[in-house]
Amino acid sequence: MQSVVIVLLGIVGMLFGWFVYSKFIAEKIFKMDDKFVTPAHELQDGVDYVPTNKVVLWGHHFTSVAGAAPIVGPAIAVYWGWVPAVLWVVFGTIFFAGVHDMGALWASARHKGKSMGALSESVIGSRTRSLFMIVVFLVLLMVNAVFGVVIANSFVSQPNAVFPAWSAIVVALVIGQLLRRNMPLIPLCAIGVGVLYATIYMGSSMPLALPSEMFGLADKANWIIILFVYAAIASLLPVWMLLQPRDFINGMQLLVGLVLLYGAVFVSMPDITAPAFNMQTAADTPSIIPLLFVTIACGAVSGFHGIVSSGTSSKQLNKETDGRFVGYLGAVGEGCLALITLVAVSGVALAVSPEEWHEIYSHLGAGSVSAFITGGANLIESGWGISTEVASTLLAVMVVLFAGTTMDSGVRLQRYIIQEWGDIYKISALKNGVVATLVAVGCCLLLAFGAGGASGSGGMIIWPLFGSTNQILASLTLLVISVMLIKAGRPAKFTLIPMVFVLIMAFFAGVIKLAEYYQQGNWLLVVLDAIVLIVSVLVMLEAWSVIAKHKREKQQGSEQA
């Protein structure tokens, strides 16, 4: 019964955020205008800049920012107790993530679809642009390299997910062509989701796997190479051909999954067995403050969302006012996924008694995706009578498809960054889409196999930096938006307050990790962590200088008048 109360309170909070708070921010603070000509129309090229129906764009945006993170983060952070995790997910979604994502979309659209790193030059200064783009590139490198490993691991451990995951690409290509021929969206969506779920049912009894060794590499390493070859090709295709329909279908698939999970809660009304506040943590468990706030990123606030908002989504925005639907509602979708993840890993669906729950969550990092799949499958079976085998395949495919769509968008975004560098530093070769894609994929594979050897797991080496780096990036994005608002003479407290909070937590976490890496003698992480911390300080100083200068000029203008 406790789970129903959690779900109801969370839904009420999300509804307040969507109907009240987001409307206020969009209309009174960002002042979104239907008459503004978006980059999708001004720079339309049929490849990256394409005016898109807001529902289809929401599907792309939502699945691109979601990935596996709103599942992984909450499923780990529940170790500290379900109360702090639920509070951060709900309040983080309403006042942090929604404003951040919608704000990045608005800011980029107002600067011809430039990424947050590139547009920071006109908002703050050229030095800020260079520093900002370093952090953006590092985050994309981490996400792409690691999600390749995550998907490969899933294909090896869950061969039932291979057939439906690749079938989704074929379905998306067909639907993309039909949409291009003005076929109605709703019937195509229904057919696409129906076919996807048929392949999930087939996949549950038809596992597919690569040979354990091929070309001198293990199956996981071969999957990583195949995935990056696919991502390179996908990133060069027009967005309407694969990216949009694939992400939209995945978004609809997630909605079905959320209906199944939330519906199961109301039908079976499971109790919570996890502690509200965990007092039995292991001796080496880090402090909940600040680590909770970087462990739950997607589902509360995430810098990666700003990259997507200002990278692919802003180039497809049909009307500026669609930014509220795409950006804020995308964040609400993530919050809903994070909330139901917490219920799945906290209740009797995962562990019948508190003692069993503590056995599963014996230390920080235990549980994670496997706990979500197990708990979610048991929850669906108890509520709907669907077998755990089919439910487990469904949830495993959900995780794989989310990670895959994030990887698709991530490689495309990395290409954008490299092309922007080519434009900024007058390197004509890097402006070429194919060359930029090869450089992006090459960097990811170099990290994967150069640092990880034949296993291809090199991306996992720098992954521990993701939490703090990602949240520092979120604070820098909020800073750029705040400077834009200050220069426009609008209230900036709605972005400055979240920015200060996230920066303090992320910077504090980064310092703690820096000391930890130093003690371990992990010099690569020491150097990278130090770079991120120094860059964030320099960007803040640059921004403060711009704000102070703006205030002086405004005051002088008032005195002269």
Side-chain angles (χ1 to χ4, degrees), residues 117 120 125-135 421 424-425:
S120 64
S126 58
R127 284 179 296 188
T128 298
R129 175 203 66 201
S130 301
L131 296 170
F132 204 114
M133 292 179 77
I134 291 172
V135 181
W421 273 337
I424 292 168
Y425 298 111

Side-chain angles (χ1 to χ4, degrees), residues 4 50 86 129 145 153 164 207 211 234 284-285 343 397 427 429 442 446 510 553:
V4 175
V50 180
V86 167
R129 175 203 66 201
N153 286 338
D284 60 348
T285 302
V343 172
V397 170
I427 304 174
L446 183 63
E553 292 174 349

Side-chain angles (χ1 to χ4, degrees), residues 382-436:
S382 66
W384 300 97
I386 299 172
S387 70
T388 53
E389 289 78 11
V390 173
S392 295
T393 301
L394 186 152
L395 295 176
V397 170
M398 181 190 295
V399 173
V400 168
L401 290 182
F402 271 7
T405 52
T406 300
M407 189 176 170
D408 285 1
S409 296
V411 172
R412 186 179 290 263
L413 290 164
Q414 209 167 1
R415 165 168 70 84
Y416 290 163
I417 293 294
I418 293 168
Q419 287 181 298
E420 286 178 345
W421 273 337
D423 187 52
I424 292 168
Y425 298 111
K426 311 302 180 185
I427 304 174
S428 57
L430 294 182
K431 297 180 185 179
N432 181 276
V434 175
V435 174

Side-chain angles (χ1 to χ4, degrees), residues 203-255:
S204 63
S205 58
M206 189 176 66
L208 298 175
L210 291 177
S212 58
E213 185 174 339
M214 187 171 63
F215 307 121
L217 295 173
D219 48 1
K220 185 180 78 171
N222 280 309
W223 273 127
I224 291 172
I225 294 173
I226 291 170
L227 288 165
F228 273 109
V229 170
Y230 156 74
I233 296 171
S235 73
L236 289 168
L237 294 176
V239 290
W240 61 265
M241 186 178 292
L242 177 61
L243 188 70
Q244 289 177 352
R246 173 179 160 89
D247 290 358
F248 184 66
I249 292 171
N250 288 345
M252 296 304 102
Q253 180 239 167
L254 173 64
L255 287 180

Side-chain angles (χ1 to χ4, degrees), residues 137-149 224-225 227-229 231 407 410-412 414-415 418 436-452 456-460 462:
F137 187 81
L138 279 176
V139 169
L140 286 172
L141 185 63
M142 293 176 196
V143 169
N144 292 336
V146 172
F147 273 35
V149 176
I224 291 172
I225 294 173
L227 288 165
F228 273 109
V229 170
M407 189 176 170
V411 172
R412 186 179 290 263
Q414 209 167 1
R415 165 168 70 84
I418 293 168
T437 299
L438 290 175
V439 172
V441 171
C443 288
C444 293
L445 289 174
L446 183 63
L447 175 62
F449 289 94
S457 300
M460 303 305 292
I462 66 170

